[in-house]
């Protein structure tokens, strides 16, 4: 159908480019459509398309889905082959998937995709039942130690969602986030390393005419940060690799975690402007995007469901995650929830 917009290299969580090029949220054009897959999310949320490609290296499917009222599913690592850039990463973090308006459409895409692309190291999704085969034990996480405090509107939607899950017969248990100490610093350091690789290898990776002098301030800032801290990068990578290995064990007797997708309500356009000073941009995005990067490092599945709205009418997403390979379990839980509490549409 076409090519949708995204922020430069997908580093940030708002689809705003230098020179005032902005992809706006169809629920309120004064708000961001999220990122990095904000163009896809805006088209699907507005009703122009039923489904669109999106990808996710730190929340870039789930964040725009959350702020535009869509289903945004990040699959387990191994469910698809990686593109060239991801194959060169020390820790692969990018997942390819879609944003859609229903769990049914997302599940249909995934099962159709694996008919010709068999997963590696994880079981096929296969047929998705309308409900899980058993009642689940679900960990409720309200705050993340890796970013800013969760605001009142987001907490209200999260708690209402937890209550509805309990009404469906699932056991919901308040718990702490499965986030290791230092994860925020480790992920930001890795973010910088990837930006440094982009800026220094752009001619080889993208185009012979690639000019690093034309990069946006956020990419330049991330790359400079990585260059300054190059000696500590091996330690950050070591800790991220340990996080990946230990993630599934952190579930204990839980089947699923639920938590906010982002820490506060949808910001206005300009909050993550492409021309912001680097330090301001980094602080804002890392305090808002505080829950989603963990699953990218772990390679585990996660989905944002549009389960409620803030008092101003903007959608609020709730984040469901499971162990690596448990994609079908998440989709079945999401399907059961959607049937009991249908998601609002922008035109309703």
């Amino acid at each position: 159908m076409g090519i949708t917009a995204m922020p430069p290299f997908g580093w940030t969580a708002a689809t705003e480019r230098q020179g005032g090029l902005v992809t706006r949220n169809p629920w309120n054009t004064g708000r961001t459509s999220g990122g990095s897959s904000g163009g896809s999310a805006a088209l699907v949320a507005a009703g122009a398309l039923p489904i669109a490609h999106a990808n996710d290296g730190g929340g870039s499917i789930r964040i725009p889905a959350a702020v535009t009222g869509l289903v945004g599913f990040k699959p387990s690592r191994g469910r698809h082959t990686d593109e060239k850039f991801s194959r060169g990463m020390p820790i692969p973090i990018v997942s390819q998937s879609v944003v859609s308006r229903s769990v049914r459409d997302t599940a249909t895409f995934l099962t159709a995709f694996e008919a010709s692309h068999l997963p590696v190291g994880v079981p096929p999704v296969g047929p998705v039942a309308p409900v899980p085969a058993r009642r689940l034990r679900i960990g409720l996480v309200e705050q993340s130690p890796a970013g800013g405090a969760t605001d009142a509107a987001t907490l209200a939607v999260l708690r209402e969602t937890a209550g509805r899950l309990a009404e469906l017969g699932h056991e919901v248990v308040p718990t702490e986030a499965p986030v290791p100490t230092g994860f925020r610093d480790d992920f930001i350091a890795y973010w910088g390393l990837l930006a440094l690789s982009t800026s220094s290898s752009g001619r080889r990776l993208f185009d012979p005419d690639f000019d690093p002098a034309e990069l946006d301030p956020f990419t330049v800032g991330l790359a400079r940060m990585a260059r300054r801290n190059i000696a500590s990068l091996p330690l950050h990578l070591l800790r991220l690799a340990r996080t990946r290995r230990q993630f599934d064990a952190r579930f204990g007797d839980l089947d699923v975690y639920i938590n906010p997708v982002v820490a506060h309500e949808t910001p206005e356009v300009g909050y993550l402007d492409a021309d912001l000073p680097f330090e301001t941009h980094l602080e804002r995005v890392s305090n808002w995007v505080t829950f989603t990067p963990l699953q990218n490092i772990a390679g585990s599945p996660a989905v944002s469901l549009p389960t409620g709205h803030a008092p101003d009418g903007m959608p609020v997403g709730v984040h469901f995650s499971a162990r690596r390979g448990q994609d079908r379990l998440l989709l079945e839980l999401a399907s059961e929830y959607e049937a009991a509490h249908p998601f609002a549409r922008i035109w309703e």
Side-chain angles (χ1 to χ4, degrees), residues 26 33 36 39 46 54 73 137 147 162 225-226 235 239 252 257 312 320 348:
S33 63
S36 62
F73 188 86
R137 185 170 166 83
M225 177 190 70
L235 177 60
R239 294 200 304 222
Y257 280 103
D312 62 3
F320 293 60
E348 293 175 344

Side-chain angles (χ1 to χ4, degrees), residues 20 33 80 202 259 261 263 284 286 305 324 334:
S33 63
H80 60 78
N259 51 259
V261 178
R284 288 181 177 181
S286 56
L305 298 181
R324 183 168 178 253

Side-chain angles (χ1 to χ4, degrees), residues 209-250:
D209 295 326
F210 179 89
D211 184 0
E214 296 183 3
L215 290 171
D216 63 288
F218 194 56
T219 302
V220 170
L222 284 170
R224 286 176 177 168
M225 177 190 70
R227 196 174 285 112
R228 286 195 308 268
N229 301 318
I230 197 76
S232 65
L233 283 171
L235 177 60
H236 291 297
L237 291 174
L238 181 67
R239 294 200 304 222
L240 288 174
R242 184 186 305 127
T243 296
R244 179 178 56 182
R245 290 193 305 271
Q246 297 176 348
F247 179 76
D248 283 357
R250 287 179 174 266

Side-chain angles (χ1 to χ4, degrees), residues 5 76 89 253 329 345:
S76 291
M89 290 180 176
D253 63 353
L329 179 72
R345 303 282 189 253

Side-chain angles (χ1 to χ4, degrees), residues 4-346:
T4 55
M6 60 182 288
F9 304 102
W11 299 138
T12 191
T15 304
E16 302 184 25
R17 302 181 69 91
Q18 289 175 281
L21 298 174
V22 174
T23 301
R24 297 174 181 273
N25 193 316
W27 287 83
N28 179 337
T29 56
R31 304 291 186 91
T32 181
S33 63
S36 62
S37 303
S40 293
L43 277 174
V44 175
L49 294 172
I51 193 168
H53 169 252
N55 61 18
D56 192 314
S60 293
I61 293 170
R62 294 160 286 163
I63 296 161
V67 302
T68 61
L70 300 178
V71 175
F73 188 86
K74 186 202 88 67
S76 291
R77 176 143 310 282
R79 200 154 295 289
H80 60 78
T81 56
D82 289 327
E83 75 287 349
K84 181 173 68 173
F85 184 71
S86 289
R87 288 196 300 270
M89 290 180 176
I91 300 175
I93 58 173
V94 179
S95 290
Q96 308 293 335
S97 185
V98 294
V99 288
S100 77
R101 292 196 292 271
S102 71
V103 178
R104 177 204 63 188
D105 288 354
T106 293
T108 299
F109 165 78
L110 288 168
T111 53
F113 177 83
E114 71 184 11
S116 56
H117 298 79
L118 292 176
V120 177
V122 292
V125 172
V128 175
V131 298
R134 58 184 174 83
R135 298 299 82 189
L136 304 177
R137 185 170 166 83
I138 299 172
L140 169 64
V141 175
E142 295 189 345
Q143 304 289 340
S144 171
T150 305
D151 73 0
T154 305
L155 273 179
V157 172
L158 176 66
R159 289 168 179 170
E160 181 180 48
T161 302
R164 289 171 171 176
L165 288 166
E167 289 171 359
L168 291 170
H170 301 289
E171 182 183 5
V172 181
V173 183
T175 189
E176 298 297 318
V179 181
T181 302
F183 178 80
R184 173 180 170 139
D185 292 341
D186 294 337
F187 192 83
I188 289 174
Y190 189 40
W191 209 354
L193 175 63
L194 298 177
L196 178 60
S197 173
T198 296
S199 62
S200 60
S201 306
R203 290 186 177 90
R204 176 176 58 81
L205 289 170
F206 305 115
D207 191 282
D209 295 326
F210 179 89
D211 184 0
E214 296 183 3
L215 290 171
D216 63 288
F218 194 56
T219 302
V220 170
L222 284 170
R224 286 176 177 168
M225 177 190 70
R227 196 174 285 112
R228 286 195 308 268
N229 301 318
I230 197 76
S232 65
L233 283 171
L235 177 60
H236 291 297
L237 291 174
L238 181 67
R239 294 200 304 222
L240 288 174
R242 184 186 305 127
T243 296
R244 179 178 56 182
R245 290 193 305 271
Q246 297 176 348
F247 179 76
D248 283 357
R250 287 179 174 266
F251 278 77
D253 63 353
L254 298 173
D255 298 295
V256 170
Y257 280 103
I258 62 167
N259 51 259
V261 178
V262 285
H264 59 75
E265 293 182 61
T266 306
E268 294 182 352
V269 166
Y271 183 77
L272 294 175
D273 186 272
D275 294 308
L276 277 176
F278 169 69
E279 292 78 9
T280 302
H281 197 139
L282 181 62
E283 181 179 10
R284 288 181 177 181
V285 71
S286 56
N287 279 331
W288 187 43
V289 180
T290 176
F291 291 96
T292 53
L294 180 62
Q295 286 72 30
N296 296 89
I297 294 297
S300 61
V303 61
S304 172
L305 298 181
T307 63
H309 291 79
D312 62 3
M314 291 299 293
V316 174
V318 169
H319 189 255
F320 293 60
S321 61
R323 294 175 176 85
R324 183 168 178 253
Q326 293 293 306
D327 305 53
R328 186 193 306 168
L329 179 72
L330 273 189
L331 289 167
E332 289 174 347
L333 178 60
S335 179
E336 179 185 32
Y337 186 96
E338 182 182 27
H341 303 282
F343 306 140
R345 303 282 189 253
I346 197 169

